[in-house]
Amino acid sequence: MSKHGPRLVVPIDLKKKPWEQTLPLHNRWHPDIPSVAEVTVGELFRVEMVDFSGGGITNSYTAEDIKHADFSIVHYLSGPIRVVDTDGIPAKPGDLLAVEICNLGPLPGDEWGYTATFDRENGGGFLTDHFPCATKAIWYFEGIYTYSPQIPGVRFPGLTHPGIIGTAPSMELLNVWNERERELEKNGLQSLKLCDVLHTRPLANLPTAEGCHLGLVKADTSEWANIASEAARTIPGRENGGNCDIKNLSKGSKIYLPVFVEGANFSTGDMHFSQGDGEVSFCGAIEMSGFLELKYFCYLILVFLI
């Protein structure tokens, strides 16, 4: 009999840390982070993922873990995944990767999530002037519905989606990002001001080895140090997709991603049970662990007409 259903390509053990997984997770973008799995165009496959904090935020009713959250580690991503066609030929730079989300949801036995506001002294958010202290609400999932003991009388259906979904940048594109964001860090505070609190925080998060995890690249090696010094943070969305936070990127939708390196090296993470149009508090979604079941229909060669 023929096999049906998705092939699990990135498993997650919730008892292990992100770097202890069978296929270690990564939290940076870089072309030299090696792929951990390979899938074929037309194949249905399953990717599991931890929440953005890698288990650092727990389902305790205290907000102490939010108050002291480590932002150097976000976001933990599953992948990279190499993409090939039915003849084994990898996706090429210049192709367009068409990705369909066939199914998604929480990991079995981990059907809960959280929403939070970060402390004014540790990142804050757009509403920090009104909510200066760290807060956290725990949400429990009942199928498509969720409820929170911290917000009594509220129960609503979610629109579950991955916050981050993207392809690896080329070295050329990575250099563009780093140059652009260094300029923003240097001169942005003089020209951009979002609010009094955010005026004191960095407008760009430049590469740093602190909290850096690079999947299969071994720590404490010269290769790891070189990549960590260049690798882009996952916080902003960019030309590769990345931190999109699009609530409608849910079951049945497609996303088209540009390919910059051979094989595309696709990664995803930061699953949300639900959110509005963006995250006003910077942790405004209901964050969760979860899974995606995906299919690459094709990758198309982009043709630019001048």
Side-chain angles (χ1 to χ4, degrees):
M1 293 180 63
S2 61
K3 182 183 181 299
H4 298 281
R7 176 171 68 95
L8 178 60
V9 299
V10 181
I12 289 295
D13 184 343
L14 291 169
K15 296 179 182 179
K16 295 182 178 180
K17 302 293 185 183
W19 54 90
E20 296 173 339
Q21 299 294 327
T22 302
L23 302 176
L25 309 187
H26 64 102
N27 58 9
R28 301 291 194 271
W29 295 112
H30 195 282
D32 293 336
I33 298 175
S35 60
V36 299
E38 182 176 286
V39 298
T40 303
V41 168
E43 175 186 12
L44 180 64
F45 63 97
R46 178 178 171 121
V47 179
E48 297 181 344
M49 64 194 74
V50 297
D51 78 292
F52 87 88
S53 75
I57 309 300
T58 72
N59 59 355
S60 65
Y61 287 179
T62 174
E64 283 298 303
D65 48 8
I66 288 291
K67 182 176 181 179
H68 302 290
D70 180 2
F71 294 111
S72 73
I73 55 91
V74 297
H75 307 76
Y76 285 108
L77 305 181
S78 295
I81 297 170
R82 177 179 169 88
V83 183
V84 301
D85 67 13
T86 53
D87 295 321
I89 299 172
K92 296 290 194 300
D95 290 344
L96 186 66
L97 188 67
V99 186
E100 182 177 62
I101 298 178
C102 300
N103 196 13
L104 75 177
L107 292 181
D110 205 45
E111 292 90 353
W112 68 277
Y114 58 90
T115 303
T117 56
F118 295 123
D119 194 276
R120 182 187 183 96
E121 303 303 319
N122 188 31
F126 291 112
L127 300 178
T128 304
D129 290 337
H130 302 282
F131 304 99
C133 299
T135 63
K136 182 174 69 175
I138 300 299
W139 298 87
Y140 297 105
F141 308 148
E142 297 178 331
I144 67 168
Y145 294 96
T146 189
Y147 71 93
S148 172
Q150 286 77 46
I151 309 175
V154 173
R155 180 176 181 263
F156 67 92
L159 190 57
T160 305
H161 59 279
I164 296 181
I165 187 166
T167 54
S170 64
M171 199 64 223
E172 180 182 14
L173 181 59
L174 181 62
N175 290 335
V176 169
W177 291 353
N178 286 336
E179 181 179 353
R180 183 172 67 198
E181 291 165 25
R182 277 193 295 269
E183 172 66 20
L184 181 61
E185 184 186 61
K186 180 180 178 181
N187 298 315
L189 290 177
Q190 284 74 49
S191 58
L192 299 172
K193 187 172 182 179
L194 300 175
C195 69
D196 286 340
V197 172
L198 292 184
H199 191 52
T200 65
R201 65 182 289 147
L203 293 176
N205 293 96
L206 299 180
T208 175
E210 181 183 1
C212 181
H213 294 280
L214 300 174
L216 292 173
V217 181
K218 298 296 185 183
D220 301 323
T221 63
S222 59
E223 180 187 17
W224 184 95
N226 290 336
I227 295 175
S229 69
E230 302 170 332
R233 300 298 307 279
T234 60
I235 295 171
R238 301 185 182 89
E239 292 88 335
N240 68 326
N243 196 6
C244 304
D245 281 351
I246 300 172
K247 67 179 182 179
N248 293 317
L249 188 60
S250 191
K251 186 186 298 187
S253 65
K254 291 189 181 76
I255 183 169
Y256 297 86
L257 298 168
V259 175
F260 300 104
V261 301
E262 184 175 287
N265 279 5
F266 169 92
S267 298
T268 185
D270 189 31
M271 183 73 84
H272 299 157
F273 183 82
S274 198
Q275 71 166 50
D277 291 317
E279 294 179 283
V280 173
S281 72
F282 292 171
C283 195
I286 299 179
E287 309 284 349
M288 60 183 280
S289 66
F291 72 90
L292 288 177
E293 292 175 1
L294 304 171
K295 180 181 284 190
Y296 301 134
F297 272 92
C298 59
Y299 42 81
L300 310 170
I301 296 178
L302 294 175
V303 178
F304 295 96
L305 299 179
I306 300 177

